[in-house]
Amino acid sequence: MTRFALDVRSLPPTEGVSLAAGLGLTAIQIPWVGERGQWREAVMTSGLQVALLELGGRELGEQGDPLAWLLVAIREAAELGCRKVSVTAPHITSDKGDERDSVLTSFCKVVGDVAQPAEKAGVQICIRVDHGDAPGDMGAVGNTVELAHVLGRINRANVSVDLDAAELVRAGEDPLKAVAQFAGRIGHARIGRPGQVPTELGTRFLHDLNTFGYGDAVSIGSTEDGSLTKEFGASVLRSFLDLMGGDVSRDVDRLRRVHAAMSEAELDLLVCAASENVLALTGYWPMNGTCVAVVPAAGEPYLYVPAGEETWAARSGWPNIVVYQAGRIDDPPFHESMQRLLRDFVRRSHDGFGTVGVEGALRSLVPPHMAHEASGRHEQLRESVTAIMGGSHIRAADPVLLKAKAIKTEREIRAIRRVSAIADVGLATFRDGLAAGVRDIDLATDVERAIERFGVGFETVTRVRGYAYVMSGAQTSQCHLDYEFSSPRVMAEGDIVLMELAVVADGYWNDLSRVYVIGEPTGEQVRLFEIAERAFQSARLTAVPGRTGADVDAAARDVIAEAGLGAAYPHQTGHGVGMAFHEPYPLLKPASEDVLEPGMVVAIEPGVYIPGVGGVRNEDDCLVGSPEGASSLQVTPHSSSGRTLASVA
């Protein structure tokens, strides 16, 4: 699903706003026609987000002071709540190299000079290719090669590209290649008017935008003569929207639940930086842990992101994204940027915040996309919040968020189902790769590779990681401990082989295990498998709304105890999963009073572990809701024999 913005440059302001609202869109793209231009009043009273403010190339070339002109436009964009302005390089009168170089040099200097004040205003500058309307009529940036050159010369995080699929097609360029070429640097995207881009190419263009990380609104155009304001024209646009994938915005159910939890806890404001909490509050999984979500009990929430990350963050559908500069040697440190941003937020709100919730010390950190460097920035954030809101009562927000995150929204359940489908590829790769002579570490690597190759691009998923731990032989009896690793041990016929698997796709997690025997299992191995499987099914059938974590744990533990192996089951039966690999609510363990509710997703993982023989644990993530038991989200079945399964796959 893609969020669309209507390009209404060809329409009068009131008609453009009315058409966009009538189509059910939440955003529009408008022209800038001078300070406090004719669009201002229409937009400010419409409730629509201004996705892009369009600045012309000819106009830039005609300005006596283009820098001052751009600064006024950027200020206007900020006042309209618009995060992006689009500029084209001035037109040239010939294609002679000297003139082109001179115009490009001046253009790059102007845009480079205005980038810093634009960043302070939270505005992205998007540069567009201008192919011209007739022979001899051309912009100084006339194709994607020149656009890449200009982007490199300016080299600012908040200067990116504006890709127009229709214009690229008209000029004989491939929009799909352009998306791949500018991956991570696409500030805005357009698909043109209905009929300008073939349907198959248009849907692939939108798919590739998602795959390469662009998630903000995509502009669609009205006709130049404004005929789409007529009823037949609006119908054409509706059909076009349906054909291209509809419209999506932020997860309003999640925000409603967070607000309800805040009200119950009497919190006036939430300020969070931990990856799992930013995901829960905004629907966006941070790149490196330097995003901050600010959610007031009343009023609009904000998401603060470092420059360059805003086009990824826009995938959440969040309209209030504020950009700050980070990563360069002269940029202020994180805590200073946050203090400035929070001070601005408090000043704009005109309200005091009696009780502010921030994250406490976390026992473990859910990694951002850059998993090799999990962030502890929430520690600095607490200091910044205290410095700015010292008169408020600061409380740990973790208990509030814990229960608010436990019940998943429909949108979150769809995301967890996607990661489950990706994880099944890993489970099947593990099962089919079992063989005597294979090293544990080699099979684990194959599983991770298969997950990431399949997952990126699956149903618009952009970022996937798999963490596979494969253990074979008697060492599987130790796989319940708090450490796991894949060794260079070589598998042998008759070995029990167990894999613990974590998969994350766009921030949503799976926690799974599978165990098989290479070759035909012995009678003892089959007995252990059957005991563990009966325990799993007993727990799954007990995991219904209204039952407690202790009930589910007892259902599994009693099965294993009755088989005389109670001492061989030393860990809890399960836990929540979704926005973290291990969510601490609900817990399925003895004495747990956590009550299961519809919409919770729990990992169920009873097992038996016999020293010298091996361990058996099959773990699935299960959705709570049916009175007949939780439903597994996996399709790869449990079986004692990897060979048998491989032969029928």
Side-chain angles (χ1 to χ4, degrees), residues 527 530-532 534-535 538 553-569 608:
R527 185 177 80 91
E530 290 177 346
I531 293 169
R534 287 200 306 271
S538 180
D553 181 86
R557 201 167 300 280
D558 289 350
V559 169
I560 296 173
E562 288 170 5
L565 295 176
Y569 179 29
V608 290

Side-chain angles (χ1 to χ4, degrees), residues 275-310:
S275 295
E276 62 192 287
N277 292 333
V278 171
L279 176 70
L281 294 174
T282 70
Y284 174 62
W285 184 38
M287 281 287 185
N288 61 12
T290 55
C291 292
V292 175
V294 177
V295 182
E300 284 294 300
Y302 283 79
L303 176 60
Y304 297 99
V305 302
E309 194 170 341
E310 64 270 26

Side-chain angles (χ1 to χ4, degrees), residues 236-278:
V236 169
L237 270 179
R238 288 191 187 95
S239 298
F240 183 65
L241 287 169
D242 290 340
L243 197 62
M244 290 297 155
D247 187 56
V248 67
S249 58
R250 66 189 181 193
D251 190 344
V252 294
D253 288 339
R254 166 55 58 211
L255 184 58
R256 189 180 302 117
R257 293 180 190 185
V258 168
H259 276 153
M262 291 176 66
S263 176
E264 183 179 351
E266 299 181 341
L267 286 180
D268 299 312
L269 185 70
L270 270 176
V271 184
C272 296
S275 295
E276 62 192 287
N277 292 333
V278 171

Side-chain angles (χ1 to χ4, degrees), residues 547-551 553 585-595:
R547 300 301 292 269
T548 66
D551 294 335
D553 181 86
Y585 187 92
L587 293 179
L588 314 180
K589 68 176 186 178
S592 171
E593 297 180 354
D594 299 346
V595 178

Side-chain angles (χ1 to χ4, degrees), residues 566-579:
Y569 179 29
H571 60 76
Q572 66 185 21
T573 295
H575 53 83
V577 67
M579 281 168 259

Side-chain angles (χ1 to χ4, degrees), residues 477-518:
S477 67
Q478 303 297 306
C479 69
H480 60 280
L481 299 176
D482 283 339
Y483 65 87
E484 292 156 338
F485 72 100
S486 302
S487 78
R489 183 184 186 277
V490 177
M491 301 174 193
E493 192 80 7
D495 274 353
I496 291 175
V497 187
L498 186 145
M499 178 178 70
E500 174 73 15
L501 180 65
V503 181
V504 58
D506 287 345
Y508 296 91
W509 291 80
N510 260 178
D511 178 10
L512 304 167
S513 300
R514 283 295 184 274
V515 62
Y516 300 110
V517 174
I518 296 179

Side-chain angles (χ1 to χ4, degrees), residues 49-372:
Q49 177 199 0
V50 181
L52 183 76
L53 190 64
E54 178 93 18
L55 282 62
R58 290 182 179 88
E59 291 88 341
L60 181 63
E62 294 167 358
Q63 299 303 313
D65 186 351
L67 178 60
W69 186 77
L70 274 174
L71 287 172
V72 172
I74 286 166
R75 185 177 68 234
E76 178 81 354
E79 291 176 359
L80 287 169
C82 176
R83 298 194 312 273
K84 297 183 290 189
V85 298
S86 177
V87 298
T88 53
H91 279 221
I92 56 176
T93 57
S94 73
D95 60 357
K96 292 181 179 178
D98 290 347
E99 181 184 357
R100 179 178 295 275
D101 288 345
S102 175
V103 171
L104 284 181
T105 297
S106 298
F107 176 71
C108 290
K109 184 177 188 315
V110 168
V111 174
D113 287 346
V114 84
Q116 185 169 1
E119 178 268 317
K120 290 182 178 178
V123 174
Q124 181 90 354
I125 301 171
C126 308
I127 302 175
R128 188 183 183 201
V129 168
D130 185 0
H131 298 105
D133 299 322
D137 176 26
M138 67 188 76
V141 178
N143 54 55
T144 53
V145 173
E146 292 170 350
L147 180 59
H149 174 69
V150 166
L151 201 67
R153 284 180 65 175
I154 298 171
N155 195 27
R156 293 280 306 200
N158 68 321
V159 177
S160 56
V161 303
D162 178 354
L163 286 187
D164 187 331
E167 282 297 301
L168 291 171
V169 168
R170 184 173 71 86
E173 295 202 66
D174 186 344
L176 305 184
K177 288 184 179 179
V179 171
Q181 178 183 1
F182 294 109
R185 299 304 306 275
I186 303 172
H188 188 68
R190 319 173 192 220
I191 202 166
R193 300 188 297 272
Q196 286 190 304
V197 177
T199 299
E200 184 177 352
L201 178 61
T203 53
R204 179 66 187 277
F205 178 71
L206 297 175
H207 176 276
D208 285 5
L209 283 172
N210 272 295
T211 298
F212 284 101
Y214 180 83
D216 208 349
V218 176
S219 293
I220 58 172
S222 56
T223 58
E224 292 181 359
D225 61 5
S227 63
L228 284 178
T229 58
K230 297 182 174 65
E231 185 56 37
F232 80 91
S235 176
V236 169
L237 270 179
R238 288 191 187 95
S239 298
F240 183 65
L241 287 169
D242 290 340
L243 197 62
M244 290 297 155
D247 187 56
V248 67
S249 58
R250 66 189 181 193
D251 190 344
V252 294
D253 288 339
R254 166 55 58 211
L255 184 58
R256 189 180 302 117
R257 293 180 190 185
V258 168
H259 276 153
M262 291 176 66
S263 176
E264 183 179 351
E266 299 181 341
L267 286 180
D268 299 312
L269 185 70
L270 270 176
V271 184
C272 296
S275 295
E276 62 192 287
N277 292 333
V278 171
L279 176 70
L281 294 174
T282 70
Y284 174 62
W285 184 38
M287 281 287 185
N288 61 12
T290 55
C291 292
V292 175
V294 177
V295 182
E300 284 294 300
Y302 283 79
L303 176 60
Y304 297 99
V305 302
E309 194 170 341
E310 64 270 26
T311 56
W312 292 81
R315 293 176 60 83
S316 64
W318 216 253
N320 301 313
I321 295 176
V322 179
V323 182
Y324 69 94
Q325 190 65 51
R328 300 170 309 170
I329 193 67
D330 57 347
D331 291 328
F334 174 78
H335 72 278
E336 288 184 9
S337 293
M338 283 305 110
Q339 288 186 26
R340 174 178 61 83
L341 293 168
L342 290 171
R343 189 177 292 110
D344 290 345
F345 172 81
V346 172
R347 185 176 63 251
R348 286 194 309 271
S349 69
H350 302 297
D351 289 319
F353 297 102
T355 305
V356 179
V358 296
E359 294 145 332
L362 304 179
R363 181 182 63 85
S364 61
L365 287 174
V366 175
H369 167 75
M370 295 175 64
H372 55 278

